[in-house]
Each structure stands twice: as structure tokens, then as C-alpha cells.
Amino acid sequence: MRVLPKGGITYAITHASAALAFKKKYPRVGLWPLLIAVQFVELLWIVFSYLGIEHVRVTGDKVHLDFLPYSHSVFTGGFLAALAWGFGRSVRRIYVGAAIALAILSHIVLDIIHHEPNITLLPMAWGPRLGLNLQGYPLLDFIVELIFCVACWKFFGGSKGLLVGIVIFNLLNIPLMFPRPGTGAMLTQHPAILPTIILIQVVSSWLLIWFLARRTLLHEEPRTPIAA
Ligand SMILES: [Zn+2]
């Protein structure tokens, strides 16, 4: 399949780029824990979608993230962040717990900017739905996400290779912004396709960032050991 649906799912490279900023701010936390934390609620969504607990709604060739309150509510993000912070505190790693908590929260914040209004306050269908609908304006969406990713790269102090990789992954998102005829029908018939596509995007953006950032990190380490 060459062209994917516009779904309202914030592009994986944007979340992965946020992990770079957290890595710079919290250098004593590993890059992989941060990469996983920024996408943690997306991983929940993928699992819940496979299980049929959360689902999308297809109208024509548009995919709406109609029901994702368990993985993506404001409460879920806050609760998971509190768990990470509390766990870090209990094992005398407040620094690590705080970094992971903020990384988890960043996913909900970025998704509220990007999604059409579909993010509930509580993990239930009831209540107001947040979403600034940046995904509804593909050109603006592309520019804003590219600027955000490049800003994270700059803050991180990454290599030229990392910048090229990030720009290429942003360019690869362009066809996703314009669904092809028939996409909607296909997704209705095969509901496992979308979470699989997202899973592939999440993992490939992780590998890209890790692979192209590791040189920079090698030069900076070893740092002072983790403090409590
Ligand atoms: Zn998400």
C-alpha cells in the first residue's frame, strides 16, 4: 500500500523528536526509555485497537479516531505520568521519574494540538472533547510539525545526518495527509491495518532517531552517574 489515510494520529516522527528534547533536558535518562515514554499512549492505542476496545470511524475516505478515551484521555496521560513519577520517587530516582512523566504527558499535549476534537478528559465517552484539529489543514500541519521536529533537533544539538533523517520522515508524511479513493473501504474491511501501519511508523521513527542520535550521545557520555 502506497498511500495511507489521514487519521488525526500525530506523526510518529514528531513524538520521537520530542524525545530528543527531553534527552537534552534530562541527559542522565536513557534515550530509549524516553522514546518509549513519548509514544506510550500510542502503544496502548495500538493494543486496544487490535483488541477492538478502541476503534476508528470511517466516513468516505476520512478516518476519524472516534473512540480512544482509554489510551488518550487527559486523565490517562496524567495518571500514567503520576505513576512514572511516583515509581521514580519510590526507588529514589525522582530525576528519571520526572523526565518519563513529562515525556508521557507530551504525547497528549501534541495530540491535542494535532487531532480533531476527540481527546476526552476522562477515560470514557462522556464529556467535552479536546483537539485543535491541526490535521485538518495539511499544509499548515506539515509546516508546523517540521518546524517542531527541527527545533527539537536543534535543541538536542544533533548531527546533520539526524536532521536529514528527520526531514525525510516528515516528507514521507505528505502522502498520508491526502487519502486515496478506496482507502476508507479498505480500512473498514480490515481494521487491523491502521494500528499495524501506526506500529510500523512508531518503531521506524524510534530506530531512525536512535541510530542517528547515538553518535552525538557517544561523544557526550560518559556523564556523571544518575543521582537520586
Ligand atoms: Zn496519539
Side-chain angles (χ1 to χ4, degrees):
M1 181 172 38
R2 286 181 299 137
V3 176
L4 308 172
K6 178 169 77 174
I9 296 163
T10 308
Y11 301 107
I13 189 63
T14 304
H15 291 300
S17 297
L20 286 175
F22 287 113
K23 177 65 184 160
K24 178 73 178 182
K25 187 94 174 62
Y26 295 92
R28 287 175 283 140
V29 182
L31 180 59
W32 272 108
L34 291 169
L35 283 169
I36 292 167
V38 294
Q39 286 287 29
F40 194 79
V41 304
E42 207 83 315
L43 297 177
L44 286 182
W45 177 82
I46 290 166
V47 172
F48 292 166
S49 295
Y50 279 132
L51 295 176
I53 296 170
E54 296 192 333
H55 55 81
V56 299
R57 180 169 55 92
V58 179
T59 56
D61 282 321
K62 269 194 150 186
V63 178
H64 304 277
L65 298 171
D66 209 38
F67 191 73
L68 70 170
Y70 307 122
S71 63
H72 274 72
S73 75
V74 173
F75 175 87
T76 307
F79 178 72
L80 292 171
L83 272 186
W85 187 81
F87 183 74
R89 197 180 142 93
S90 70
V91 296
R92 301 169 69 85
R93 293 281 187 275
I94 289 180
Y95 178 90
V96 179
I100 299 295
L102 287 173
I104 291 171
L105 278 180
S106 77
H107 188 105
I108 299 288
V109 173
L110 289 173
D111 276 9
I112 287 175
I113 295 169
H114 184 263
H115 285 206
E116 52 187 358
N118 55 24
I119 298 190
T120 54
L121 296 177
L122 298 169
M124 55 177 73
W126 172 86
R129 293 177 161 216
L130 308 180
L132 299 179
N133 197 30
L134 182 59
Q135 60 93 38
Y137 310 88
L139 181 62
L140 182 65
D141 183 15
F142 172 77
I143 293 169
V144 169
E145 296 208 34
L146 182 61
I147 289 173
F148 176 82
C149 290
V150 172
C152 290
W153 166 83
K154 181 105 180 103
F155 180 64
F156 173 71
S159 64
K160 289 227 170 63
L162 179 59
L163 177 63
V164 170
I166 286 173
V167 171
I168 288 174
F169 265 52
N170 272 271
L171 291 171
L172 288 174
N173 288 332
I174 291 178
L176 315 190
M177 296 171 176
F178 302 95
R180 278 159 61 104
T183 312
M186 183 194 64
L187 286 172
T188 309
Q189 283 165 10
H190 307 283
I193 289 179
L194 188 59
T196 305
I197 292 168
I198 301 303
L199 180 60
I200 292 168
Q201 287 187 345
V202 167
V203 173
S204 53
S205 67
W206 277 347
L207 293 174
L208 175 94
I209 295 289
W210 162 74
F211 187 76
L212 294 174
R214 75 195 196 294
R215 266 248 171 96
T216 308
L217 296 173
L218 272 177
H219 285 148
E220 288 184 0
E221 279 161 6
R223 288 188 170 261
T224 47
I226 279 182

